[in-house]
Amino acid sequence: MRAADGEPTTTTFSTPSDRELAVTRFFAAPPALVFDAWTSPARIKDWMLGPDGWTMPVCDVDLRAGGAWRFAWRGPDGTELSMHGVYREVSPPERLVFTEAWGGDWPETLNTVVLAGEDDGTRLTCTVQFVSTGARAAAFSTGMSQGMTQSLDRLAEQLAARA
């Protein structure tokens, strides 16, 4: 599939500033469906899984400004990861702003998801603001681009089936 401008529907990563990472992806579905998939626990558990073989046994979402969220994953080898945060802005179907914390030494980020409707779908841009350039580099070095790409590929498949 291609976006209205002929651009392939791939996930791209860019650095709009020294502390930000932007993830962009086009989906052949209206913004309301993309927003629902990004915020509904039943949908999140089907696509936001990172590498193949991972599951999400915990997916708690209190979708309101000030509401908390928590996700936990389990890998095929039993490895467990979790993250949590608080929604700062919930503006369906075009915008979502939330904090994200992985725990341990990882500093909290501020994430902004913008869903821009286009003639034949939605362009999603998720901008992650880190506390420093070093924190951004450390996060990106974990393989997050591969995991996010696989997850967004799953989301694209599911949205195509629902659109």
Side-chain angles (χ1 to χ4, degrees):
M1 285 190 192
R2 294 190 173 271
D5 61 6
E7 178 183 326
T9 56
T10 57
T11 303
T12 60
F13 296 84
S14 62
T15 52
S17 77
D18 64 340
R19 295 187 310 132
E20 292 178 311
L21 176 67
V23 182
T24 304
R25 177 72 182 246
F26 177 83
F27 296 101
L33 278 182
V34 180
F35 190 89
D36 178 63
W38 201 271
T39 59
S40 167
R43 304 249 185 269
I44 293 167
K45 290 175 81 164
D46 288 338
W47 69 268
M48 194 184 288
L49 301 174
D52 289 336
W54 285 71
T55 61
M56 184 185 281
V58 177
C59 184
D60 299 325
V61 173
D62 181 3
L63 191 62
R64 61 182 175 83
W69 62 271
R70 183 174 184 276
F71 304 152
W73 294 268
R74 185 170 296 123
D77 65 355
T79 300
E80 294 187 356
L81 297 171
S82 67
M83 66 179 177
H84 63 277
V86 174
Y87 292 105
R88 291 196 177 169
E89 181 182 337
V90 178
S91 301
E94 65 272 338
R95 189 172 161 90
L96 194 61
V97 180
F98 54 94
T99 62
E100 178 179 301
W102 286 89
D105 293 335
W106 291 101
E108 184 176 84
T109 61
L110 180 64
N111 302 356
T112 302
V113 174
V114 175
L115 304 172
E118 297 182 2
D119 288 342
D120 57 348
T122 302
R123 183 163 312 278
L124 177 143
T125 303
C126 177
T127 304
V128 182
Q129 184 177 34
F130 294 87
V131 297
S132 68
T133 303
R136 181 187 69 189
F140 200 71
S141 74
T142 65
M144 74 179 281
S145 63
Q146 294 88 353
M148 288 184 79
T149 297
Q150 287 178 328
S151 289
L152 294 175
D153 286 348
R154 276 188 215 97
L155 176 56
E157 291 171 10
Q158 291 176 12
L159 288 168
R162 292 182 64 205

